[in-house]
Amino acid sequence: MERAAATEPRRAAVLGSPIAHSLSPVLHRAAYAALGLTGWSYDRVEVTEADLEGFLQGLDASWAGLSLTMPLKRAVIPLLDGISDTAAAVEAVNTVVIAEDGRRTGDNTDIPGMLAALNERGVRKVDHAAVLGAGATASSALAALGRICTGPVTAYVRSRARAEEMRGWGERLGVEVHTADWAEAAHAFDAPLVVSTTPAGATDILVPYVPERPGTLFDVLYDPWPTPLAAAWAEQGGSVVGGLDLLVHQAVFQVELMTGRSPAPLAAMRAAGEEALAGR
């Protein structure tokens, strides 16, 4: 069932801080154009944790949904009327759907977005995997790996606290998680699937250790792209899934949730994202 007529004014936006770099408006606007939703608009809004509650209270009936990035993915949870099981599993909401009666429901499209991006490259099952880094994206990666990895996941982290946190997520998600110090991160490349969730530049020191026959690298960054690690991986013939793949697939799920239109136009959204990145 469609949530609104194509010409009815509806609003959506991505919130976060900083937010100026976000490609989400490009992707969502491309979807609206392809779907003929001429009355729909999508913006980016700088919102901090301190501003979030006030922003939500100020929303009127024209709002259909919100995309959330850091630092809001966990801060928003107590401000919502409910969250999906997927979002609850990792305590992270990246999507808020606003019903016509004003009810706000949180969801997480990062997890299905990761799975869709991997599936698109033919990665549907692995017997073990590695995660570089910890944090909100890493916990979403563990949740996704829990659905396709039949064996252990080794997380390479920088501190004992981070190691304990990742093992805790593993227990909660039903994933066998082993942890290792960041100094041993080159050993991650022995796995058939490596998910890098680190900030830009963090994995540059690992480039010389890319093996001759690497498996699949999922690097969640998209700007700048390719990262030195992704470039070296591809040069050695390995399969690379990038941050734009994740961004587009999670946005596809967001568009479907917010508009009630399915399927969302994946090809048009990807093309718009690629064009925008090329212009940066």
Side-chain angles (χ1 to χ4, degrees), residues 16-25 44 46 69-70 222-223 247 277 280:
S17 182
I19 200 62
H21 68 287
S22 176
L23 276 181
S24 291
R44 60 171 71 89
E46 183 85 13
T69 186
M70 299 304 293
Y222 65 82
D223 188 16
L247 191 68
L277 279 180
R280 288 189 174 183

Side-chain angles (χ1 to χ4, degrees), residues 8-10 59-64 99-100:
E8 181 181 339
R10 299 307 306 271
L59 299 180
D60 61 25
S62 68
W63 284 86
E100 292 182 1

Side-chain angles (χ1 to χ4, degrees), residues 138-179:
S139 61
S140 292
L142 284 181
L145 289 171
R147 302 182 189 183
I148 64 170
C149 186
T150 59
V153 176
T154 303
Y156 293 84
V157 298
R158 295 186 181 276
S159 69
R160 182 176 298 178
R162 287 292 195 183
E164 291 177 357
E165 182 177 333
M166 290 297 281
R167 287 194 296 269
W169 280 117
E171 291 178 9
R172 180 168 182 169
L173 296 166
V175 179
E176 181 185 351
V177 174
H178 301 170
T179 56

Side-chain angles (χ1 to χ4, degrees), residues 75-149:
V76 75
I77 292 176
L79 305 176
L80 300 175
D81 297 301
I83 63 175
S84 69
D85 291 342
T86 302
V90 291
E91 295 181 357
V93 165
N94 78 327
T95 308
V96 176
V97 178
I98 305 171
E100 292 182 1
D101 63 2
R103 181 177 173 83
R104 300 189 292 255
T105 304
D107 208 336
N108 186 307
T109 65
D110 284 331
I111 296 168
M114 286 182 175
L115 290 169
L118 287 166
N119 183 70
E120 188 176 49
R121 301 302 174 84
V123 182
R124 299 178 180 87
K125 196 70 72 174
V126 292
D127 58 11
H128 66 289
V131 173
L132 301 176
T137 304
S139 61
S140 292
L142 284 181
L145 289 171
R147 302 182 189 183
I148 64 170
C149 186

